[in-house]
Amino acid sequence: MTQNSQVTYLKDYQVPSFIIETTDLDIRIGDEYTSVVARLKVRRNSASSEPSSELVLQGSKDIKLQEVMMNGLILDKSNYDLEGSVLSIHQCPEAFELTTECLIQPQLNASLEGLYKSGGMYCTQCEAEGFRNITYYLDRPDALSVFTTRISAPKVSYPILLSNGNPVEQGDLDNGEHFAVWHDPFPKPAYLFAMVAGNLVRQDDVFTTVSGRKVDLQIFVEAHNSHKCDHALESLKRSMLWDEQVYGREYDLDLFMIVAVDDFNMGAMENKGLNIFNSDCVLADPATSSDAMFERIEGIVAHEYFHNWSGNRVTCRDWFQLSLKEGFTVYRDSQYTADTYSAAVKRIDDVTLLRTHQFAEDAGPMAHPIRPASYIEINNFYSVTVYEKGAEVVGMIHTLLGDALFRKGSDLYFGRHDGQAVTTDDFVAAMSDASGIDLSQFKHWYSQAGTPTLAITDAYDATNNEYRLTVGQSTPATAECQKKLPFHLPLRMALLDTNGLEMPLTLRDDDSVQGDNLLLGNSCVLNITQAQQTFVFEGVMEQPTPSLLRGFSAPVKLDYAYTQEQLLFLASKDQDGFCRWEACQRLLIEATELAMSAMNQSSHYQLGDSLVTMLRASLVDETLDPAMVAKLVQLPSEAYLAETQTTVDVDLIHTGREAMRLAIATALESELLACYNRCHDIGLFSQTGKAIGQRALKNTCLSYLNALDSVQYQGQYQTIARDQYALQANMTDVGAALHILIGQNNSELAAPLLAEFYQRWQGDAQVVCQWFAMQCGANRPGLLKQVQDLLDHDAFDIRNPNKVRSVVGSFIRSAINFHAVDGSGYAFVGDMILKLDNFNPMIAAGLAKPLGRFKRHTPQRQALMQQQLRRLSEAQLSKDVFEVVSRALDSANV
Ligand code: BES
Ligand code: ZN
C-alpha cells in the first residue's frame, strides 16, 4: 500500500519562484471537449530565495495539452517537459507571456473537483487543488493573480454564464453559441476561481453598504427551486450588515452571486463574488426544510460571506494555514448566530459538536494540530479539528483580549494583510501587537494536537475566608508530539453563594499567577499557563460552589469532582447558560451510566428522585426559553456518551440510554404531555425564536412519550405523533413525527408512512435525502438489509454526495448498526469506500475516517474494523483514502 504516499511538509515551504500577474482564461464549452486557453502574464519572483528559470505548473493527467506558447510563439517540445501531471517550462526569461491550450472533459469528472457537470449545468470547485484539473497553473494559495474569464457555450442549453467579479462583455456567436467575459479586479489564488454555465433562474435583491454603495445580490437556481431562495437572501443581508457592525467589514464588489448545485462534495464554497452552494445548504422553505436546516443554511450563508474578508481579501500562504481562514470564519459565523438568535443555545450546540466529534478525532489516528505539520492529501484536513477547534482557539484569543482589544486586533490583521497570503503566526501577531498581550505561549494551540484535561481541586479555609483553586493541565501524547508543553488558556469562572448569586471576587496577587487575570464583575478569567498553578480568592465569606469553565472558555476536558448536590444546585441556579446545561448533562450521564450497569446485570433501573425533580422544574418553567428547556432535558447522544467512556460498548450505551428514556418518560409522563400540548401551536406557522424553540421542545417531549408506547402498547402517544404527521404543517413537525414513528421498530407502522412520504415528496431531492437519512440512521438494530436495499432504489445515485451521505453517512452514525458485532456494518462501509474511491476520493475518505477510530471499542470490534482497514489497504487507493487507512493501521501497531 505504498502507492501515492508523497508527504508535503510545512517546514519545506518556499515562496513561489514566479508570479502570475494576470490570468486570462478562454473557456469554450463543447459537447465532447471543453477547451481551456490560459494566457498568463508571468515574471520571476524577486522574493524567491532560489531563483530558477524553470516554471513548474501543476495539472492533472486528465488534461490533454494541445499547445504551449511563449510570447506568442509556439514552444517546441524541447522547451518544456510534461511528466505525469506536471508541466515544466525550461529557461524562462525575467518576464513573459505563457499561453497553454488544453482540452478537458468535465462531463466525465465525477470527483467533483475542478470543472464538472452537475445535472445539466457546468460548475467548478477549485479549493483546495481543483484548479489544476482545469489547466496547468501555479495551483497554490500564495500565487495571487488578477483573473479575466471568457466563457462560451451553446445559448439554449446554457443561457447563464458566470464567473468571478464583474460582467464586462457578452454577446452572441455563430452556431447558437454565446459568450460572456468577467473580470475580477481583486487578485486571488486559483482556489477562489469559479465559473458556471447553465439554465438557471435568478432571484434578486440589493444591499446598501454602510458607505452607501448598492450591491446587487443574486441567487441562481434551477427553475423548480425558485421559491426556496428567500431565506438565503435574507440571511445574506443580515450577514452583510452584521459584518459591518461587528467587524467593520464592508463588501467590496458591486455584485454578489450564489449558485445552487445538486452535486457538491461540501456544503458551500466562498469563490470571490460567486459563491457556489450545495443546493441542500441554500434552498429552504418551511414545507420541505426543518428549523434545524433553516438555521444551518443561515450559518453557511454567513460563513461563506464572511470569507470575503477572512479568506479572500486576506488568504492563506499555504494549506497548512487552513485554520487561518476556516477556524476564524467558523468563529465569526458562530458569533453571528449567537448574536442573531440564542447565544446560550448556540454555544451548547457548538460545544456538543466539538466534544462529540473533535475530541474523538483528537484521540484517534487522524489527530492533528489545527495547523498540521504534514499531509498526504490536504482534503483530509478539512476536519473538525481545523474548523471547530480552530474556531475555539480564535474564541480563546477573544476571551483573553476582551471585546475591544479583539476588535482592535482584527482591524490590524485585516488592514495589515489586505491583499496578502499569510500564516496563523501573522494572525496571532496582529492580535498580540494590537493588544500588547503576549501570545507566544498561546501559540502551542497551533502546533500541538490532543485534548488537554484540566484537573481542578479546591479548598475553602473558613478561618481566613480564603478559597484556593488548584488547576493542573495535562495533554495525552499524539503521534506528532509525545510530550506536550503547557497551554495558555482562559478559564472563565465564578463562585456562587448558597443562594446561587455570584460572589464578588478578589484574587490574591500570587507569584504563581502569570499574565493578567481579568476580573469582570463577579466572574473572572484566569490565565492558565502552567502545568499546575493555584489561585487564592480572598474575602470569601462562605463555602462557595465553583462555576467552572463558564461558556466553555477553552476546548478542554474539565475534571473536577462535583458532588451530585453541587450539580443539582448549578443546574437550577447557575446564570451561565452553558454551565447550567453542563450540570444537567453531567447528572444525566451519571444516571445513564447507572442505567448501563443495571442493564449489564439484567436488573431494573430506578431513576433518582432528585434528577426527576430537576427535569420537572425545567419542563414546567414557562419563563425559560423553550429552546433552552429542550436542551436541558435532552439526553446526551450515544456518540457523546461513547466519548465519555474508557471502553465503548455500543450496545450497552444504546440499551442504557433507551432505559433512561423510558424511565424519564415514565416518571414525567404528565409533565411531558402538558409541555407538548402547551407548545403544540397549530396556529399560523411562524419562525420566531420562540416558535422554533417551542417546536424543538414539543418534539423532544413527543419523543420521550413515544418511548412509553413501545413497552406498554396503548398507542396513545403514537396517535399524537400520527396526528402531528397528518397535519403536514411544516417539515420540522412532520419530520420529527415520522422520525419517532419509524423509530418504533414496527414495520407495519413505518412502511405505509414511508411510502406515503416518498410518494408525496419524490419530486424534491432535498426531501428524498431526508427520507433516506431517516431510514438509514434510525436508532434501532438490524438496519443493514434495508440500507442495502435502498442502494437499489430509483432515487439513489452513488455519484451524488448528498445521497451517499444520507444513506451511508447516516448508517455510520447509527452506532448499533455500523458496529454490529458480526462485522457486517464495517464490511458494508468497506465495500462502499472501495466503490466510491474509484471516482470520488474525497467522499470515500470521509467514510473511511470512522473505520479508523477503533481504539476504545471492544476487542472483537477492534479486530473487525482493522480487518476492513487491511482489506482496503490491499486495494489500489487514492491518496485521500490511503492516508486515512495507513494512519489508522499505523495506530494499531503502537
Ligand atoms: N472553503 C470551504 C469549502 C471547502 C471545503 C472547499 C473543503 C474545498 C474543500 C467553505 O468555506 C466551508 O468551510 N464550508 C463548510 C460549511 C461551513 C459553514 C463550515 C462546508 O462545506 O461544510
Ligand atoms: Zn469555510
Side-chain angles (χ1 to χ4, degrees), residues 270 303-304 307 326 387:
E270 70 264 25
H303 177 99
E304 305 311 336
H307 268 316
E326 295 303 347
Y387 275 65

Side-chain angles (χ1 to χ4, degrees), residues 724-743:
Q724 179 174 314
Y725 176 80
L727 260 182
Q728 294 289 328
N730 57 76
M731 191 48 91
T732 307
D733 286 349
V734 171
L738 187 56
H739 178 83
I740 288 167
L741 291 166
I742 70 171

Side-chain angles (χ1 to χ4, degrees), residues 127 268-270 303-304 307 310 322 325-327 329-330 333 382 387:
E127 187 179 3
M269 177 63 208
E270 70 264 25
H303 177 99
E304 305 311 336
H307 268 316
S310 49
L322 183 58
K325 75 175 179 80
E326 295 303 347
T329 305
V330 169
D333 81 59
Y382 285 77
Y387 275 65

Side-chain angles (χ1 to χ4, degrees), residues 395-667:
M396 285 193 285
I397 296 180
H398 190 164
T399 305
L400 290 170
L401 269 58
D403 290 343
L405 292 177
F406 181 73
R407 170 65 194 270
K408 202 174 158 208
S410 82
D411 283 349
L412 181 61
Y413 169 71
F414 288 126
R416 191 187 261 178
H417 298 298
D418 191 6
Q420 297 177 359
V422 301
T423 62
T424 55
D425 285 338
D426 294 317
F427 180 80
V428 177
M431 289 293 167
S432 166
D433 292 350
S435 64
I437 291 174
D438 180 3
L439 294 173
S440 43
Q441 185 189 355
F442 184 83
K443 287 214 242 170
H444 297 332
W445 283 108
Y446 288 89
S447 54
Q448 299 187 149
T451 307
T453 293
L454 285 193
I456 301 188
T457 54
D458 61 350
Y460 179 61
D461 173 353
T463 2
N464 295 310
N465 296 331
E466 274 182 10
Y467 177 76
R468 301 177 147 259
L469 199 69
T470 301
V471 183
Q473 61 166 298
S474 62
T475 307
T478 46
E480 96 298 342
C481 173
Q482 292 301 304
K483 246 189 112 41
K484 309 282 162 107
L485 297 165
F487 289 100
H488 178 187
L489 61 96
L491 177 66
R492 193 188 289 279
M493 54 138 335
L495 300 178
L496 306 187
D497 69 16
T498 35
N499 297 315
L501 298 175
E502 293 160 1
M503 298 171 151
L505 298 176
T506 313
L507 197 57
R508 186 208 289 166
D509 233 348
D510 193 304
D511 288 348
S512 71
V513 178
Q514 282 184 359
D516 298 315
N517 295 296
L518 303 166
L519 288 167
L520 307 158
N522 297 342
S523 90
C524 75
V525 176
L526 300 177
N527 274 262
I528 306 303
T529 53
Q530 298 165 28
Q532 174 115 345
Q533 65 203 112
T534 298
F535 300 87
V536 182
F537 294 89
E538 295 176 334
V540 181
M541 306 313 284
E542 57 170 304
Q543 166 92 47
T545 302
S547 166
L548 298 169
L549 202 67
R550 292 190 135 191
F552 198 70
S553 61
V556 298
K557 294 182 181 169
L558 174 62
D559 172 9
Y560 173 83
Y562 276 117
T563 63
Q564 213 188 11
E565 289 67 40
Q566 284 178 312
L567 290 174
L568 289 164
F569 178 80
L570 291 170
S572 69
K573 293 278 182 356
D574 202 324
Q575 281 147 62
D576 184 272
F578 168 77
C579 282
R580 185 166 184 182
W581 169 80
E582 174 71 351
C584 283
Q585 287 288 296
R586 280 179 184 250
L587 288 163
L588 288 169
I589 291 169
E590 283 171 14
T592 309
E593 283 168 349
L594 291 178
M596 281 162 59
S597 35
M599 295 295 116
N600 216 12
Q601 291 148 24
S602 309
S603 65
H604 181 68
Y605 170 68
Q606 180 70 43
L607 194 61
D609 289 343
S610 53
L611 191 59
V612 174
T613 309
M614 176 192 84
L615 294 171
R616 178 183 295 120
S618 297
L619 281 174
V620 301
D621 188 343
E622 293 188 43
T623 66
L624 291 172
D625 171 10
M628 187 67 184
V629 177
K631 295 286 172 204
L632 289 171
V633 302
Q634 253 157 35
L635 285 171
S637 68
E638 290 180 13
Y640 183 60
L641 286 166
E643 257 318 286
T644 65
Q645 307 296 302
T646 17
T647 47
V648 177
D649 181 336
V650 173
D651 299 318
L652 192 58
I653 289 175
H654 177 73
T655 50
R657 187 176 179 277
E658 288 304 300
M660 273 291 282
R661 249 160 52 77
L662 180 57
I664 291 173
T666 308

Side-chain angles (χ1 to χ4, degrees), residues 54-70:
E54 180 114 331
L55 172 63
V56 181
L57 301 176
Q58 289 84 38
S60 93
K61 31 178 206 1
D62 296 331
I63 303 182
K64 295 182 178 54
L65 181 65
Q66 300 296 104
E67 196 166 87
V68 185
M69 292 200 297
M70 189 178 285

